[in-house]
Amino acid sequence: MLINGEGYSAEYIKESGTVRLAGVVRLSSTEEYGEIIKLMESALEEHQGTITMDLRELQMLNSSGITMLSKFVISCRNSNHSATIIASESVPWQGKSLKNLQRLMPALTIEMK
Amino acid sequence: MQQQHFIARQVALVLLGFLLVIITVGAATTISIRTLGDSYQRLEHLINESNSQSILMGDMRDAIRDRMLLVYDIIHAGDPFAVDDLVMTYSSSARRFIQARDQLLEHNLTDQQRAQIEAQKSILGQAQTILNEVVTSVQEERNDGSADRILEAREVNSQVLEQLGEMQRVQANLAQEDLAKASSEYGASRNQILILIFAAFAVSSAVVIFIVSRIVSQGRALQQALDALEEANETLEQRVEKRTNELMSTRADNMRMGAELDVSRQLQQMLLPRDEELAAITDLDIAGFMEPADEVGGDYYDVLHYHDHVIIGIGDVTGHGLESGVIMLMVQAAVRSLTEHDDEVNLIGALNSINTVVYQNCKRMGTDKNLTLALLHYNKGELEISGQHEELLLLRSGKVECVDTIDLGFPIGLESEIADFMHSYKTTLNHGDTAVVYTDGITEAESPSGELYDQQRLCTVLEQHHDRSSSEIVTAVIESVKAHMGDRPLLDDISLLVIQRR
């Protein structure tokens, strides 16, 4: 499953249970994030093992996007899915947000690459 | 107009069809009558010809017979005057014969018939000679074996009579053949007429069928065209209706969105601290700036002054529109009610309460929104900050100190309980020191090439203007951000608050 938006892409790789976000995402409301939310929820429904979120190429995510990611992590926590986030040290926004995600789900694994 | 043309064409076609039928039938009838007339004339001519030939041949035979009989009469007549009369009659019958033969020769005879007539001449001549001798001897009153001579002449004449009889039979046969031929021609003519009539009928039928089918098919085509037109009209009507609905709906949406944005913008602006309120704070020189994006975001800042306490709040609600404005209003009211009292100010307690209010109300509103929020408390040179937001920048002696707020709090309204994550940071604000808070609209402002303004640029500008007043620092930072953005539109609200201890 692949979504190609203006300046960003979202992909769900079924085999590895990986959700990959890339580019600059500045959608203005939760409604506009609907498609990506649906894509992420399908990962939760279909994949039994660890859910991986690959955010290395995600240059920018606005506050609505961070909310979406936070809600997804809460969903992983509530559905007892183990989850891993692969992030990049070179992307500035990720520091604070990843810490919050970790707080939402202490069992979340964060790999900085 | 189209329909009138169509009807005129149909009438013209029908008239043309009838004209064709009349011409075809008329032509067939004319040809048939002419052919029949010709056949009849030929038949009549043949019968006349045959009849007159038979009559002439009969005349010839009668003349020969009469002469034979007259010779007998002449022989047996006792009276010499009677003999003379009979001889005259005998001579006239010879003329009758020659006359009839000449007439017959003028007719349309076969070569064989002409040869026969030619051959008869010498035989007849022979008989004539004998009979003339018999008549002469009777006239001279000599009776020297006349009976024998007559028998001889009769023998010769009988040959001619037989030949003439034969010729008559042949003539009858020929006439019969001609008649059969004429009859067959007549039959052929009749067949021809039948064929012509049938052809005329077929042509007429074809013309009528063609015209009728043409009219029917044109009628059908017209009906189809009318149906298509009707359908197109219906489709057009539906499309117009749909488009109108869409436009109305879009217009309604736009109007609603516009109205929401207007309300949000007004909420945002009407809750900002007034200049005179800021000026009333003698210990601090505070300048603020807020510019909403086209689609107003959820930036919030406030400065509350109560006795010696100054409470500063800065936050950013996710998304935009009326919901963001309402949440902002909630936060502003909650901050004021939770901090403006005589008891000791408790920032962490206030933030926990605000989180509960926002979390519960967002749940009721059915919205996913949350906000980053930092609260600062200034009292007599002491500055405390709590809540997770952008970094607090402290400008001291021309240098910027960055205070990370990640560990001071958690997004407000995202989780029901955040007390575990709440901490506060305390510092002293000396005279001339400046504290700067801002929203991410500044650090995430994009240049035309998509490069973010980032915190580093902000710190540089602050350091360059460390000895300026708060409002001058605000102006310098905003000018720098605008210069970085170039002609890029504002993507998010930008807010900046500069607090300088006098």
Side-chain angles (χ1 to χ4, degrees), chain A residues 87-113:
Chain A
S88 167
E89 280 172 352
S90 62
V91 181
W93 69 270
Q94 296 188 352
K96 179 180 73 182
S97 300
L98 292 182
K99 189 145 195 177
N100 285 344
L101 295 179
Q102 182 86 73
R103 284 168 177 170
L104 287 171
M105 183 181 176
L108 179 70
T109 309
I110 295 177
E111 291 175 17
M112 298 298 284
K113 288 187 176 172

Side-chain angles (χ1 to χ4, degrees), chain B residues 71-84:
Chain B
V71 171
Y72 278 107
D73 288 345
I74 289 167
I75 292 169
H76 294 101
D79 184 358
F81 291 105
V83 170
D84 285 343

